[in-house]
Amino acid sequence: MEKKQKSRLFWTLMFIGALLILSRIGYSDGDDVFFYQNSRSMGFFEYLGWRYETWVGRMAGEAMVYLVFRHNIWFWRIVNALMLVLLPMGLIRLAEKAARLPEGGITRWYERIPVNREAGFEFSVAVAAVMGYFLMAATTLGYAAVWMNGSIFYTWSFTCGTWAMMPLADLVFHTGKFRRRQLFYSIPCAIIASMSIEQMAAVLLAFEVLGVLFLFWKERKIPWELLLQTAVTMAAFGVLFLAPGNELRVASEVTNWMPRYNDLTVGEHLFITVQWLLSSFANENKLFLCAIWVMGLLLLLQQKDKKGQDFVWMAAAGIFTAAALLPFAGVTVLSDMGMDIGDIMLPVEQVPAVSDLTGQNVAALVWWTAAALFTFGYLWKVSGFQVTLLLAYLAGIASEAILYCSPTMYASGARVYYLTDLLYLFVILTLSLELRDRRWRIGYSAGLVCAGAVHFVFQLRIFAMWLW
């Protein structure tokens, strides 16, 4: 069977599988009911104007929500299943463009040799991409990809953000695949991504601006197509950011979710943000970090001339991986950071404080701070200083740290970690393409399948709440 036929069969089966799962999902109480009632009682522009003036500037997301809730629920199920397919497909395409041979130092890093691999569909890479969903926490996947309005704001906008980066990747990495007709989908996708969720808007705009600066530095010219898309993204982000409803929304959310928000000192605010972020690494995001650490081990093992420091890096990666997996054995000494806030559906009257920490909590915070710093240096080492991967890793941190500015840091729930997981999945896919031996890629994908299956079993009770 030709690769193109295998690709179509694989993604068609995934679409059918996703649709079967989504067929069990209906309207939920709360937000879904709110959107259903208001979308069916107002005109399109009346609804958008009301939301922009009184609540939020996410006009693209709100427009999609309006259209979805005006239709039969099967419309959402079909489109959402399609988005769940297009998202890993897009990440694979970006990874194929970004993958570079990992050898060499930091000098002339921008001239890294592209990975020489056969064009077309590769089953092991596709499986690794899809396994990203199973490596996520059930609450992250549920609220960002299965919950009806959550999937529209998160999965749909993140999928659009991924595909909006295709021309940028072609131009920066000189793939020879850039075509101006790409703008017919990339610019609309950029508008949707930058006017739906602030996290995606900030990441997309940051990468576009960095791409513009890089091309100007390297070639002393900037393609007008990239300038146009960047300008459109910036304008859309401005519309999102300057909405008059934003101030009203923040004031309401302070009252409803974190009454002490305006009274926190800078130090207190920094502490709860760092604690919350590191806790997500230790709990919700841990399997993605483990996958990066294991992939780095494989890349170091494939090196012909290993040095003593390479074995130190490998030993450290092994230790961090083993420690991250301890919660599966019921050992939480390195994952409990004292973030006891109770029910996130209720206002957080008393935020965590440094004085509340036990010695064990401090040890966990120090350990995961070390893990986060180690991962940056480790990626630098195993990738041969591939700036794109380092930036993606930092973007994953920044996409969560941006919640410093929001009183819904706790109330937003695990869906906030979705973009971090996707960015780290991109890092994993890119590194996997840099394994020389195809058998190693197959073995690594098999390992991800096992990890995803075990993770699914551990979270079966939570998944059952969504599906039964």
Side-chain angles (χ1 to χ4, degrees):
M1 187 183 298
E2 295 182 1
K3 287 190 174 184
K4 186 173 290 187
Q5 291 177 312
K6 290 180 180 179
S7 175
R8 289 173 179 168
L9 177 61
F10 178 87
W11 295 116
T12 299
L13 290 175
M14 184 192 165
F15 172 80
I16 293 172
L19 189 58
L20 287 174
I21 293 172
L22 294 173
S23 68
R24 302 187 64 87
I25 306 298
Y27 299 107
S28 65
D29 297 335
D31 287 356
D32 283 356
V33 173
F34 171 85
F35 287 119
Y36 182 90
Q37 292 175 342
N38 285 286
S39 66
R40 289 174 178 262
S41 63
M42 298 184 186
F44 180 68
F45 293 106
E46 179 189 6
Y47 172 82
L48 291 183
W50 169 61
R51 294 291 282 175
Y52 192 73
E53 292 289 337
T54 63
W55 188 247
V56 72
R58 301 170 178 173
M59 288 297 95
E62 292 285 347
M64 292 189 296
V65 162
Y66 181 90
L67 294 174
V68 166
F69 282 90
R70 294 278 293 193
H71 287 79
N72 182 280
I73 194 171
W74 275 100
F75 174 76
W76 168 77
R77 289 168 175 164
I78 293 170
V79 176
N80 198 44
L82 180 62
M83 292 295 179
L84 288 170
V85 171
L86 290 175
L87 185 51
M89 283 181 64
L91 291 174
I92 291 172
R93 290 202 182 188
L94 289 178
E96 289 174 341
K97 298 174 191 298
R100 295 291 185 271
L101 295 180
E103 289 80 9
I106 64 173
T107 58
R108 302 186 73 80
W109 51 267
Y110 51 88
E111 293 183 356
R112 282 283 183 276
I113 300 173
V115 169
N116 184 19
R117 59 184 295 273
E118 295 182 12
F121 177 74
E122 186 168 326
F123 181 76
S124 62
V125 178
V127 169
V130 173
M131 278 301 107
Y133 289 127
F134 292 89
L135 298 182
M136 295 178 185
T139 47
T140 300
L141 185 63
Y143 282 109
V146 179
W147 183 29
M148 194 165 175
N149 79 82
S151 67
I152 298 169
F153 279 107
Y154 284 83
T155 294
W156 295 21
S157 66
F158 291 178
T159 299
C160 289
T162 299
W163 285 88
M165 292 188 193
M166 294 301 169
L168 170 66
D170 285 331
L171 290 167
V172 168
F173 296 113
H174 291 282
T175 63
K177 297 179 181 178
F178 173 74
R179 299 290 185 274
R180 287 178 181 169
R181 61 175 177 266
Q182 287 176 294
L183 300 179
F184 287 106
Y185 71 81
S186 68
I187 289 181
C189 281
I191 293 172
I192 293 173
S194 55
M195 293 184 68
S196 294
I197 291 294
E198 293 81 358
Q199 285 177 298
M200 187 68 247
V203 169
L204 175 60
L205 183 59
F207 274 107
E208 287 177 343
V209 170
L210 289 172
V212 167
L213 294 175
F214 170 73
L215 290 172
F216 179 74
W217 169 73
K218 184 181 178 184
E219 302 179 4
R220 293 296 182 270
K221 63 179 181 179
I222 307 170
W224 68 264
E225 297 91 346
L226 182 56
L227 274 178
L228 174 62
Q229 181 168 317
T230 304
V232 169
T233 303
M234 192 174 297
F237 185 69
V239 172
L240 168 71
F241 185 74
L242 296 175
N246 288 339
E247 187 175 346
L248 297 174
R249 178 191 178 202
V250 170
S252 173
E253 289 177 338
V254 167
T255 302
N256 294 332
W257 302 114
M258 195 184 292
R260 284 200 57 221
Y261 179 80
N262 293 325
D263 299 326
L264 295 174
T265 66
V266 173
E268 290 172 330
H269 214 149
L270 280 173
F271 167 72
I272 63 171
T273 303
V274 171
Q275 180 195 40
W276 172 76
L277 192 153
L278 292 176
S279 179
S280 76
F281 272 31
N283 295 285
E284 288 82 2
N285 303 332
K286 62 179 179 289
L287 288 185
F288 287 89
L289 292 170
C290 289
I292 291 173
W293 295 332
V294 172
M295 175 52 66
L297 279 169
L298 297 179
L299 288 170
L300 290 174
L301 285 172
Q302 81 172 0
Q303 291 183 2
K304 295 180 179 179
D305 300 321
K306 301 179 186 64
K307 300 178 182 178
Q309 61 172 310
D310 296 327
F311 292 100
V312 174
W313 283 107
M314 287 190 283
I319 292 170
F320 278 116
T321 301
L325 297 176
L326 286 176
F328 290 111
V331 181
T332 60
V333 64
L334 292 178
S335 58
D336 180 6
M337 300 179 193
M339 200 179 72
D340 185 14
I341 57 171
D343 187 351
I344 64 171
M345 301 308 294
L346 298 174
V348 179
E349 300 289 348
Q350 188 64 42
V351 299
V354 176
S355 58
D356 299 328
L357 299 177
T358 65
Q360 176 263 313
N361 298 148
V362 173
L365 284 166
V366 171
W367 178 264
W368 279 95
T369 299
L373 295 173
F374 165 79
T375 305
F376 182 83
Y378 187 64
L379 273 176
W380 183 324
K381 170 66 178 178
V382 302
S383 72
F385 191 70
Q386 293 184 49
V387 177
T388 303
L389 300 186
L390 296 174
L391 290 174
Y393 174 69
L394 294 177
I397 295 175
S399 70
E400 293 188 22
I402 196 175
L403 269 290
Y404 173 94
C405 305
S406 174
T408 63
M409 185 174 70
Y410 300 120
S412 293
R415 64 183 180 271
V416 178
Y417 311 137
Y418 194 46
L419 184 56
T420 300
D421 289 346
L422 294 174
L423 285 164
Y424 292 174
L425 180 58
F426 162 73
V427 172
I428 293 164
L429 293 173
T430 305
L431 291 176
S432 71
L433 291 169
E434 296 171 4
L435 287 171
R436 295 192 190 94
D437 195 327
R438 183 171 175 270
R439 291 172 298 179
W440 285 35
R441 291 198 294 274
I442 294 174
Y444 182 76
S445 296
L448 289 184
V449 170
C450 293
V454 172
H455 198 217
F456 176 80
V457 171
F458 267 88
Q459 302 182 105
L460 192 56
R461 179 180 60 84
I462 303 174
F463 281 116
M465 293 172 59
W466 285 91
L467 300 176
W468 291 282

